[in-house]
Amino acid sequence: VLATKFGDVGDMGEDKTQRKTNQLAVLTGVATLVLLPVVVLLPGGLTSVPAAWKAALATGTAPSKLWYRLVASGFYFFMYQLSSFWVLSCVPPITHSVLNTLKRVVIIVVSIIVFRTPVTPQSAAGTAIAIGGVLLYSLTKAHYAKKK
């Protein structure tokens, strides 16, 4: 959201897509620098990595496969963020918010189908209420933002 408000600040690229990509790169670097001390100081942060690595290896996973999964996970998350920034540069923030809500619905439905998760009426109602709440919040916020 801040990227849309400050999208024209500074020389971060010649076109809108390049500018958004560069903003993402800068935000990623700044977030890393800001959060690194927190990760070092909090319990379960970087100090727990050796124990977690040993536990993963103890399950029989090869170190090369573990490294691949770690790098691939980071790459896919960065690409997800990049595509999200790209979409945000092409559509208004409210459309992005609605699409993000729709994305969650698709993920839930696909997960239910792929993993054959049984859906109880209670879990279906809870999911619908949560997703509906997020959607209503986004639409209401956009509606009142237009009035200002």
Side-chain angles (χ1 to χ4, degrees), residues 20-75:
K20 295 298 179 188
T21 305
N22 290 340
Q23 282 179 339
L24 176 61
V26 169
L27 285 173
T28 300
V30 169
T32 301
L33 291 175
V34 169
L35 292 175
L36 195 57
V38 175
V39 170
V40 170
L41 297 175
L42 283 180
L46 285 179
T47 56
S48 67
V49 170
W53 186 264
K54 286 179 186 174
L57 292 178
T59 64
T61 306
S64 60
K65 193 171 189 177
L66 205 52
W67 274 113
Y68 170 76
R69 289 179 178 176
L70 188 66
V71 171
S73 175
F75 173 76

Side-chain angles (χ1 to χ4, degrees), residues 67-113:
W67 274 113
Y68 170 76
R69 289 179 178 176
L70 188 66
V71 171
S73 175
F75 173 76
Y76 291 135
F77 184 74
F78 181 78
M79 294 309 291
Y80 159 73
Q81 293 290 63
L82 185 64
S83 64
S84 182
F85 258 68
W86 178 77
V87 170
L88 190 56
S89 71
C90 296
V91 299
I94 185 61
T95 304
H96 184 267
S97 182
V98 171
L99 288 173
N100 199 24
T101 303
L102 182 63
K103 174 196 72 170
R104 293 164 199 250
V105 173
V106 170
I107 288 172
I108 290 169
V109 170
V110 169
S111 296
I112 289 170
I113 293 169

